[in-house]
Amino acid sequence: MKPSLETLLLVSLLFTSSFFEVTLAGSVFCDSKCGVRCSKAGVKDRCLKYCGICCDKCNCVPSGTYGNKDECPCYRDMKNSKGKSKCP
């Protein structure tokens, strides 16, 4: 039996929508974690920007507003072009 075109379209729509939800959930995770991490930052918008970049790449953010970077080695080890820590 060959599947109909409608069945194939429905399956592909369901499949792609599941990826959209996973992507959306990841950004909500990073936004909330970075909001806590940057809550006491002097330059909050810059902190949120770089924390978001690091979180997207590493899928984790250290707890608290400062330090604790050993909880997330990827986050800890990211460096900027000058060799300093990229992640707040």
Side-chain angles (χ1 to χ4, degrees), residues 76-86:
R76 176 194 65 210
D77 297 338
M78 286 185 72
K79 305 291 184 203
N80 64 17
S81 61
K82 296 178 181 175
K84 295 187 178 186
S85 180
K86 181 175 193 146

Side-chain angles (χ1 to χ4, degrees), residues 2 4 6 8-10 15 17 22 25-26 29 32 35-36 38 41 44 46-47 49 56 59-60 63-64 79:
K2 278 179 107 175
S4 67
E6 293 84 17
L8 290 174
L9 287 173
L10 181 62
F15 187 68
S17 69
V22 169
F29 169 79
S32 65
V36 171
C38 297
K44 198 171 202 169
R46 187 181 305 163
C47 181
K49 175 185 175 183
D56 285 341
N59 296 318
C60 67
S63 62
K79 305 291 184 203

Side-chain angles (χ1 to χ4, degrees), residues 1-87:
M1 254 168 77
K2 278 179 107 175
S4 67
L5 181 60
E6 293 84 17
T7 304
L8 290 174
L9 287 173
L10 181 62
V11 169
S12 65
L13 179 64
L14 291 172
F15 187 68
T16 56
S17 69
S18 67
F19 282 119
F20 178 72
E21 289 177 21
V22 169
T23 303
L24 186 61
S27 65
V28 171
F29 169 79
C30 289
D31 288 348
S32 65
K33 292 290 190 176
C34 289
V36 171
R37 184 80 179 167
C38 297
S39 63
K40 294 183 179 179
V43 186
K44 198 171 202 169
D45 59 334
R46 187 181 305 163
C47 181
L48 289 170
K49 175 185 175 183
Y50 288 107
C51 180
I53 291 168
C54 296
C55 179
D56 285 341
K57 192 165 190 172
C58 298
N59 296 318
C60 67
V61 175
S63 62
T65 56
Y66 185 79
N68 304 321
K69 289 187 178 182
D70 288 334
E71 295 174 3
C72 184
C74 170
Y75 191 97
R76 176 194 65 210
D77 297 338
M78 286 185 72
K79 305 291 184 203
N80 64 17
S81 61
K82 296 178 181 175
K84 295 187 178 186
S85 180
K86 181 175 193 146
C87 307

